[in-house]
Amino acid sequence: MTLDVAWALRWTRLTAQEIARSKAELTELDRQIGDGDHGENLNRGFQAVLAKLDTVDPPEQIGDVLKLVATTLMSSVGGAAGPLYGTAYLRAAKVTGLAELDPHGVVALLEGALEGITARGKASPGEKTMVDAWHPAVDAAEAAAGQGAGTTQVLAAAVAAAREGAEATIPLVATKGRASYLGERSAGHQDPGATSTALILAAALAAVETADPVAATPDE
Ligand code: ADP
Ligand code: MG
């Protein structure tokens, strides 16, 4: 399956759709350990991305799509998540120049996102943040690519690991971000940012699977 600029656009549109659908759920998670705005924040950001896509010349490269998402999220999403996801997409755009992603290109994109988030937020795994979804996702993608998996399987491995990572934040005590203000009381709740990360990665996989069936070729 080809991961090209059309895929990146489908991914972006599906992400916006999924975040809109999950807005209330994300906000409720953030209400439990934060200030109850994560769903609203991300939805505002991705709706702004959709609006932006309607006004610009069609992006020619995957990296152009990622940069557009990055700059739009940075300027339209307040709170922690805007700069964090903005930097994630900006660093993910290190794949700029690749017209298509092979399995190692997928790993590079995901690695770039994680690098951006840790550069910006300085969180390590286990601090109950979105890093707890991104970190295992990158590890799983690397392992899959190393074993010769195709692009779809690499993304599927990342999605499964991100979902598990998000669920595994439930017992954790937050030591970064707003949830850390709650101390021990942050335990027992799933981190909103780790949850939205799993949604974003699931949209990347869905964007492969929803490719035009006429144009689709069997996965390598
Ligand atoms: P805010 O906390 O400013 O209201 P959001 O509610 O939009 O922002 O986002 C909260 C999410 O941001 C958390 O669930 C967590 O995953 C993530 N987050 C917060 N601080 C950090 C950090 N330093 N590093 C990584 N992720 C973080
Ligand atoms: Mg919040």
Side-chain angles (χ1 to χ4, degrees):
M1 184 65 70
T2 309
L3 300 195
D4 55 9
V5 67
W7 163 79
L9 286 166
R10 285 196 305 277
W11 174 21
T12 305
R13 293 185 187 284
L14 283 172
T15 301
Q17 204 176 305
E18 191 53 30
I19 295 287
R21 205 182 61 77
S22 306
K23 185 175 75 165
E25 181 202 335
L26 293 172
T27 287
E28 174 56 23
L29 289 177
D30 194 36
R31 203 186 54 71
Q32 289 165 9
I33 57 168
D35 57 354
D37 64 357
H38 189 62
E40 302 290 341
N41 282 345
L42 277 192
N43 188 50
R44 185 180 337 106
F46 276 96
Q47 291 307 311
V49 168
L50 291 185
K52 186 84 186 177
L53 279 174
D54 285 342
T55 64
V56 297
D57 291 337
E60 289 178 4
Q61 294 205 0
I62 296 168
D64 299 334
V65 177
L66 298 172
K67 282 181 208 159
L68 180 145
V69 175
T71 52
T72 310
L73 292 184
M74 282 184 191
S75 62
S76 63
V77 183
L84 286 164
Y85 275 133
T87 315
Y89 277 92
L90 202 59
R91 296 281 187 100
K94 74 178 184 184
V95 299
T96 293
L98 300 179
E100 285 180 21
L101 301 183
D102 65 5
H104 297 286
V106 175
V107 172
L109 184 158
L110 298 176
E111 256 173 10
L114 175 60
E115 281 163 16
I117 290 161
T118 51
R120 184 90 205 184
K122 309 274 187 285
S124 305
E127 295 200 271
K128 198 178 183 99
T129 71
M130 59 175 71
V131 169
D132 292 319
W134 281 103
H135 196 273
V138 170
D139 278 354
E142 263 174 356
Q147 287 160 14
T151 50
T152 308
Q153 292 93 329
V154 169
L155 275 176
V159 171
R163 285 192 178 131
E164 276 176 33
E167 280 175 28
T169 63
I170 295 174
L172 297 178
V173 172
T175 50
K176 283 279 189 310
R178 210 176 274 278
S180 67
Y181 306 162
L182 289 182
E184 299 285 329
R185 281 182 294 133
S186 63
H189 304 281
Q190 186 165 319
D191 180 64
T195 309
S196 58
T197 292
L199 294 179
I200 291 169
L201 292 178
L205 178 62
V208 178
E209 291 166 346
T210 56
D212 177 1
V214 178
T217 50
D219 194 27
E220 68 268 34

